[in-house]
């Protein structure tokens, strides 16, 4: 069972001691990678679509959604690593 009260309270009690945890550092790095992927997702999708034969706007839209979904998952996993795994 997930204790949401603990998750919310753990999120708001940040201090410098938390940055000694490898999970928090790894989570922040993964979250930064996800945010960078989200920022450049349109450009990445465009370059991927150029490699596909018979590319059109529909394929560009589908590839764009996939790239944005992967970037969002990266950012979400990074945020969860940074907040939930506290040692």
């Amino acid at each position: 069972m997930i204790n949401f009260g603990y998750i919310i309270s753990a999120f708001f009690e940040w201090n410098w001691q938390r940055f000694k945890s490898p999970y928090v550092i790894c989570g922040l790095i993964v979250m930064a990678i996800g945010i960078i992927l989200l920022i450049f997702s349109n450009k990445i999708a465009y370059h991927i679509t150029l490699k596909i034969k018979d590319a059109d706007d529909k394929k560009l839209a589908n590839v764009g959604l996939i790239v944005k979904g992967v970037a969002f998952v990266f950012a979400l996993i990074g945020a969860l690593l940074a907040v939930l795994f506290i040692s």
Side-chain angles (χ1 to χ4, degrees), residues 41-52:
S41 62
N42 289 335
K43 188 175 276 196
I44 294 168
Y46 180 72
H47 287 293
I48 291 172
T49 307
L50 284 178
K51 305 269 186 207
I52 300 173

Side-chain angles (χ1 to χ4, degrees), residues 5-83:
Y6 174 73
I7 293 171
I8 292 171
S9 67
F11 181 74
F12 288 109
E13 62 180 34
W14 278 90
N15 57 19
W16 289 106
Q17 297 298 322
R18 262 204 184 176
F19 290 107
K20 293 181 180 177
S21 172
Y23 293 114
V24 173
I25 295 168
C26 179
L28 292 174
I29 291 170
V30 170
M31 188 172 60
I33 291 170
I35 291 170
I36 290 170
L37 282 174
L38 270 172
I39 291 170
F40 294 109
S41 62
N42 289 335
K43 188 175 276 196
I44 294 168
Y46 180 72
H47 287 293
I48 291 172
T49 307
L50 284 178
K51 305 269 186 207
I52 300 173
K53 290 188 174 187
D54 300 327
D56 57 352
D57 289 339
K58 187 174 181 180
K59 287 184 182 175
L60 177 62
N62 290 337
V63 171
L65 286 175
I66 292 169
V67 171
K68 286 181 193 276
V70 169
F72 179 73
V73 168
F74 262 80
L76 184 67
I77 288 172
L80 290 176
L81 274 174
V83 173

